[in-house]
Amino acid sequence: MTTAAIILAAGRGERAGGELPKQWCMLAGRPVVAYALDAFRRAGLAPILLVIRPEDTPRARALLSEAVETVSGGETRAQSVRNGLEALAGRGIERVLIHDGARPLVSAALIARVREGLEHAPGAAPALPVSDALWLGAEGRVEAAVPRAGLFRAQTPQGFDYAAIRAAHRRQSEDAADDVEIALAAGLDVRIVEGDEDNIKLTWPVDFARAERIIGGAAMDVRAGSGYDVHRFGPGEAVTLCGVTIAHERALEGHSDADVGMHALTDAIYGALAEGDIGRHFPPGEERWKNAASDIFLEHAAARMRARGFALTSADVTLICETPKIAPHAEAMRRRLAAILDVETSRVSVKATTSEGLGFTGRKEGIAAMASVTLVAQ
Ligand code: CTP
Ligand code: MG
């Protein structure tokens, strides 16, 4: 019995964001798509077709071996599958397993279950029963409860009799969520085999951290970041430091509210995520940041951190100035920063030092701030 595999890697990965399509991003040190390729190779399937966008050919080359060849994908998932199926024509293929390259954690046992299912029906695919309650909702409100009995969450690889699924795909030109949908439209009998909770599809940025946790290689993925900022004194009556406004005989100059402490902390978070700095996310020339409260910068960095699947475990800010005196305000600053970051105050430190009259801070020309953070993958 000749069973081929088609691994799809021609999507754009728009929901996952990032500079590269998700299937080429690194996951615990290897490109995402390498995991599925290995799993199907080890299962002894041949040939294995990797469906890619033509411009990704150089990226794919490093992963290819005698058993793996590439085919160009199409505009939709279904078109990519069709291109793969047609490329297998005339090669004596009897069965085919079609898999999302964005599911790197497919196990040998799951592949075996799908193949076993194909002994009994022209289609077999893994799925898990829905266990959470289901709602229909819109605009943040629940509109109705949906009965979940008999509902399944579909996964891949989905296995089929080769001639039957090729005929089904030839009959349908629209896109579909998966190949079972196309098989059903053609009247094929598809058997459900037990899916695997770990066989997740990388869809959103946060899924990468989850997959790395499952792989185990990144159970202790800790990131550290540091930030530094300076603002000069100018005329005025108050300064805002770490979100707290303090009466002072000078003010800090800057495009926003010049909160040097909050800027250093924000940059430390961007640094830990390797996502540049405030200037990259909030270009300084733009009118709308003029006199803006710096909360928006810190909130943005914290939102990026959460979207990437990280939690802040510690933040430490040091303000460097002769005046004003920071100690009486340090507690309020810690509380304010913790509230913006949505963490316990005990994880946030604010301290200060003078520079013994030396340098620009010693001459009271301005205030400098340093910050460091640690983030841990959730
Ligand atoms: N896929 C493909 N060709 C397409 C679209 C999708 O080969 N034209 C593949 C993807 O590379 C992925 C799988 O189909 O392995 C499942 O699709 P999905 O998770 O939707 O991936 P993307 O389409 O890349 O992501 P998004 O929808 O967020 O843009
Ligand atoms: Mg898609």
Side-chain angles (χ1 to χ4, degrees), residues 11 25 29 108 133 160 176 178 180 185 195 200 207 229 260 285 287 290 300 353 373:
C25 291
F160 303 95
D178 63 9
V180 165
I200 58 173
D207 295 331
D229 195 26
V260 64
E287 243 341 87
K290 199 164 164 36
H300 179 266
T353 183
V373 295

Side-chain angles (χ1 to χ4, degrees), residues 9-207:
R12 289 171 199 275
E14 271 160 15
R15 285 168 291 177
E19 281 156 29
L20 279 180
K22 59 192 179 185
Q23 58 271 26
W24 302 110
C25 291
M26 293 304 236
L27 181 71
R30 304 175 66 206
V32 166
V33 76
Y35 290 85
L37 279 177
D38 268 7
F40 284 93
R41 250 187 226 134
R42 279 197 302 267
L45 275 76
I48 298 174
L49 283 195
L50 182 63
V51 185
I52 60 169
R53 293 147 63 87
E55 62 267 33
D56 291 328
T57 307
R59 285 198 184 93
R61 201 161 284 141
L63 302 175
L64 301 185
S65 66
E66 276 168 31
V68 181
E69 35 186 299
T70 59
V71 179
S72 288
E75 271 310 303
T76 61
R77 183 187 184 284
Q79 188 57 51
S80 292
V81 175
R82 267 192 289 283
N83 292 1
L85 290 169
E86 295 301 340
L88 291 172
R91 296 166 65 168
I93 309 294
E94 288 157 282
R95 290 176 183 166
V96 61
L97 266 53
I98 304 170
H99 184 66
D100 293 333
R103 291 186 191 268
L105 302 181
V106 54
S107 67
L110 184 62
I111 294 173
R113 286 202 288 279
V114 174
R115 295 182 79 176
E116 212 282 320
L118 279 181
E119 298 292 328
H120 311 283
L128 289 165
V130 171
S131 54
D132 292 324
L134 292 181
W135 301 331
L136 199 64
E139 290 163 10
R141 302 183 65 101
V142 178
E143 296 189 332
V146 178
R148 65 170 175 237
L151 291 184
F152 285 84
R153 293 183 282 137
Q155 300 187 335
T156 72
Q158 300 182 347
F160 303 95
D161 176 86
Y162 170 68
I165 192 68
R166 196 183 65 185
H169 263 281
R170 281 181 178 174
R171 284 168 45 164
Q172 185 173 329
S173 55
E174 303 96 78
D175 194 19
D178 63 9
D179 303 291
V180 165
E181 187 180 327
I182 286 169
L184 291 183
L188 281 190
D189 178 24
V190 180
R191 200 163 264 246
I192 299 175
V193 303
E194 190 189 350
D196 179 349
E197 282 295 349
D198 287 348
N199 183 30
I200 58 173
K201 179 161 71 71
L202 302 179
T203 304
W204 304 101
V206 70
D207 295 331

Side-chain angles (χ1 to χ4, degrees), residues 359-378:
F360 69 88
T361 50
R363 292 189 298 270
K364 301 184 185 175
E365 292 165 2
I367 298 183
M370 300 190 313
S372 63
V373 295
T374 51
L375 313 184
V376 172
Q378 290 295 284

Side-chain angles (χ1 to χ4, degrees), residues 229-304:
D229 195 26
V230 174
H231 281 274
R232 73 166 72 233
F233 279 127
E237 291 163 356
V239 293
T240 300
L241 295 170
C242 297
V244 174
T245 301
I246 305 170
H248 193 54
E249 73 270 8
R250 311 275 277 150
L252 288 173
E253 292 181 347
H255 196 63
S256 63
D257 64 3
D259 188 335
V260 64
M262 208 177 289
H263 294 177
L265 178 57
T266 304
D267 270 352
I269 296 174
Y270 288 135
L273 297 172
E275 288 199 14
D277 57 20
I278 296 185
R280 177 167 137 194
H281 297 276
F282 298 89
E286 287 185 21
E287 243 341 87
R288 57 197 163 126
W289 318 129
K290 199 164 164 36
N291 302 325
S294 296
D295 303 24
I296 55 171
F297 308 142
L298 188 57
E299 271 161 11
H300 179 266
R304 283 300 308 151

